[in-house]
């Protein structure tokens, strides 16, 4: 995904937060990823008010390296 996103929480262990640098509609990205078989979670529900920007939670604890790479390739085609 390169410079198209900011990744945070990569030291946490089982998940990372992904912050797109371009304007996206969170729900549309979640739905497009699901159509490709990639499950991601939007971050909007983590705020009581309006979130500062769209973001996504990517969980990877139960995935193989190959599955992670494939999922990232799918996300790259969306983002």
């Amino acid at each position: 995904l390169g410079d198209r996103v900011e990744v945070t929480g990569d030291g946490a262990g089982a998940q990372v937060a992904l912050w797109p640098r371009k304007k996206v509609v969170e729900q549309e990205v979640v739905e497009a990823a699901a159509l490709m078989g990639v499950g991601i979670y939007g971050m909007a529900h983590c705020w009581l008010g309006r979130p500062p920007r769209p973001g996504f939670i990517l969980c990877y604890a139960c995935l193989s390296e190959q599955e992670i790479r494939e999922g990232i390739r799918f996300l790259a085609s969306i983002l």
Side-chain angles (χ1 to χ4, degrees):
L1 296 170
D3 63 351
R4 290 181 279 178
V5 298
E6 174 188 355
V7 177
T8 60
D10 52 331
Q15 61 193 26
V16 296
L18 189 75
W19 307 96
R21 297 193 191 277
K22 73 175 188 174
K23 185 175 171 111
V24 299
V25 177
E26 193 176 278
Q27 190 59 36
E28 288 177 7
V29 174
V30 170
E31 290 172 5
L35 289 174
M36 296 179 149
V38 177
I40 61 174
Y41 303 95
M43 297 276 282
H45 72 278
C46 296
W47 278 266
L48 292 176
R50 184 181 179 142
R53 60 184 172 161
F56 306 97
I57 300 170
L58 283 69
C59 304
Y60 57 86
C62 297
L63 302 175
S64 69
E65 184 177 343
Q66 177 62 30
E67 290 170 319
I68 293 168
R69 288 182 187 278
E70 185 175 317
I72 295 300
R73 273 195 299 277
F74 286 143
L75 287 177
S77 71
I78 298 168
L79 299 172

